[in-house]
Amino acid sequence: MKNIYLFLCVCALGTLSMSAQNKIVIPDTKDYLVLTGDMHIHTVFSDGTVWPTTRVDEAAAEGVEVLCMTDHIDDRHNKLIKKGYKGDRNESYKIAASRGKSRGVIVIHGGEVSRGMPPGHFNTLFISDAEPIAMASDAQKDHQKGMMAAMAEAQKQNAFCVWNHPHWAAQQQLKVKWHKEHQQIYANGYMHGIEAYNSSDGFSNDAFQWAIDKNLTLISGSDSHGPMFREINAKAGELRPVTLIFAKEASVEGVREALLAHRTAIFADGNVYGSAELLQKLVEVCLVVKSVTQSGHTTKVVFENNSSIPFRLKRSESDDRAAYSYFTLVHPFETQSYGCTSPTAYKAPVAEDSFVLSFDIENFFVAPGKNFNYKVTIQKP
């Protein structure tokens, strides 16, 4: 037992050491708080190796403001409880929620129902008691009947249910498919979100398109089972994948309201995925015009990046009032200068007193393969 606790302490120290260098910073928009959330994570109370308090400490150190405790709640996963730990399937949440109050992390009560494909795995979020959901699932041998029973029980608790990692190769080896079982779950109102990014298989364009077509909330989860310092390469500048939650208030209810209203985006592997409306609000506060100066024939525009998100800017061919660089990368927390001249003569100034810089942001996506277009109006000094 001492060795187990020693391992957990070492994991915690390693995690915090890693995280101090890789804290996620996203400014709030004019209309919403932008909360960063890990919506899918595991602990020693199912098949993870990390204690719940460490999960909260990791989140706080990495700038993750919302943490969904989603341990597997099926019988076969409850190792500690089966070995005599005094607690139930809600224990990891209870421990994490207590820690979250002192660490400034919003902890969401959840649980993962894990069945074979189809229908696969679903997270039930904002629940009050995981026990009846687990029992409803475990009472059925058939995967579909078990999931439907679990989802019906979750809905009695007003749960927000997410289809997890539909592109997980272990369950959909050859093709990512929306099965008839998923259609039934969706038709019954039991599917509210879809996990388009999961650390094990990255981002799924299929899930992204289903979110658009079926009005499902975009969700990202690390699905971490081990300590984060072993899963995130801090020295290489990696950040934990997060769901960006555009909330009216920083609370459990604020998070719930935002998810039900589909006000989320995904930030993972340096890319951002979401609706054009939300990405517009995000870019406006992350990438700001710091200064505009005129020197000879050149109008110098300086952009400042106030976030952990890199911006890969490609000049849009639709703009013809000013000439400027075809491509620029604005790193997190850095500035980048744009020299703007006449589109017809390199050594002549831009003719208009006001002109528009138009960019396709190559790492921002509003649909599979479709970049977000951003325009900013520049006033010459």
Side-chain angles (χ1 to χ4, degrees), residues 313-315 323-328 337-339 359:
L313 305 178
K314 181 181 179 182
R315 189 177 81 189
Y324 47 99
S325 299
Y326 279 101
F327 176 82
T328 297
S337 298
Y338 258 89
F359 303 102

Side-chain angles (χ1 to χ4, degrees), residues 211-226:
I212 295 169
D213 294 341
K214 302 178 186 297
N215 201 27
L216 296 170
T217 301
L218 275 175
I219 297 293
S220 168
S222 69
D223 196 6
S224 177
H225 288 68

Side-chain angles (χ1 to χ4, degrees), residues 315-327:
R315 189 177 81 189
S316 172
E317 297 299 329
S318 63
D319 188 85
D320 60 1
R321 286 178 286 179
Y324 47 99
S325 299
Y326 279 101
F327 176 82

